Amino acid sequence: MDKDVMVGFGGKQAWLAVRHGAQGSPESVIAALGLRDLGTVPWRDGIDLAHLTDDRVAVTPPLTGARDELWVLATGRWLLRPDTSVDVVALSEVLGTEVQFFATHRVTELHRWQRAAAGELIRTFGYVGQTGEVTSWHGEPDPAERDAGLPGVLDEETTVLVGEKDVLAVAHAWSIDPTTLTGRAAPGPLRIGAADGES
């Protein structure tokens, strides 16, 4: 029965949101990330694997989200590893669609989001709460980011304070807040991708 029910994620995690289309399928997302496709698993098993290991990524079937578009989500600790490079610009070019990246880790207060489409970087924001440092900033904040407390322009006088709930709010506005998936009927199983040739 559990395999038919979605399991949410988002806290202390990183994920991609890929607009579904000809190249935005779960299989093509796994291939674009350079992962080996291990096939399908029930939601609980897949989310646990992605959260508890650092070499697995769980990829959802297409889910309805912002702008009534279909989105494929990919999540796993592998996306947070220091030696993993997630290039949303390159992914958006390879997949020919919009790609977003989100990360939040409440222990270090690391919070990031990025958005690219057709090989162009639209927006990036990064913040480390332990130091209060904005680590990346490109483009202008949209209304969802302004609602999260970001200023229109970043300067030396600006204080930024962003938390996990803000990352999830931006994800909701741009694609899908993955914490809201819990308990909803699953449109299909998760696919698991493995990094570094692991099985």
Side-chain angles (χ1 to χ4, degrees), residues 38-57:
L38 299 181
T40 61
V41 296
W43 275 72
R44 169 56 60 198
D45 296 344
I47 295 300
D48 286 349
L49 270 172
H51 189 71
L52 299 173
T53 67
D54 66 356
D55 62 353
R56 299 290 190 273
V57 175

Side-chain angles (χ1 to χ4, degrees), residues 9-29:
F9 56 88
K12 293 174 71 175
Q13 192 62 281
W15 69 96
L16 290 165
V18 179
R19 188 170 25 196
H20 181 61
Q23 295 298 314
S25 69
E27 296 83 358
S28 58
V29 170

Side-chain angles (χ1 to χ4, degrees), residues 1-7 40-47 60-61 63 181 183-191:
M1 195 73 159
D2 286 345
K3 70 179 79 173
D4 298 323
V5 177
M6 291 192 282
V7 176
T40 61
V41 296
W43 275 72
R44 169 56 60 198
D45 296 344
I47 295 300
T60 71
L63 306 169
L181 301 177
R184 293 170 32 192
L190 294 176
R191 293 195 82 79

Side-chain angles (χ1 to χ4, degrees), residues 25-166:
S25 69
E27 296 83 358
S28 58
V29 170
I30 287 172
L33 288 170
L35 303 173
R36 191 158 48 90
D37 193 337
L38 299 181
T40 61
V41 296
W43 275 72
R44 169 56 60 198
D45 296 344
I47 295 300
D48 286 349
L49 270 172
H51 189 71
L52 299 173
T53 67
D54 66 356
D55 62 353
R56 299 290 190 273
V57 175
V59 183
T60 71
L63 306 169
T64 303
R67 305 180 300 241
D68 289 324
E69 299 272 2
L70 291 174
W71 298 89
V72 171
L73 305 182
T75 185
R77 281 189 25 205
W78 179 76
L79 296 168
L80 279 174
R81 280 175 32 175
D83 59 339
T84 299
S85 176
V86 179
D87 185 342
V88 294
V89 175
L91 285 171
S92 74
E93 189 165 31
V94 167
L95 294 169
T97 191
E98 183 174 342
V99 176
Q100 304 164 4
F101 176 78
F102 301 94
T104 182
H105 198 284
R106 68 182 80 102
V107 175
T108 59
E109 290 296 331
L110 163 76
H111 308 295
R112 290 179 29 203
W113 53 76
Q114 296 177 295
R115 186 179 201 177
E120 296 283 332
L121 182 63
I122 297 167
R123 179 75 177 120
T124 186
F125 170 77
Y127 173 76
V128 178
Q130 280 187 338
T131 62
E133 178 186 6
V134 173
T135 57
S136 59
W137 181 287
H138 173 83
E140 295 182 17
D142 68 7
E145 294 175 276
R146 298 296 299 272
D147 288 347
L150 291 190
V153 177
L154 185 67
D155 59 37
E156 292 180 15
E157 305 299 316
T158 305
T159 300
V160 174
L161 183 59
V162 173
E164 182 177 275
K165 67 177 178 47
D166 300 312

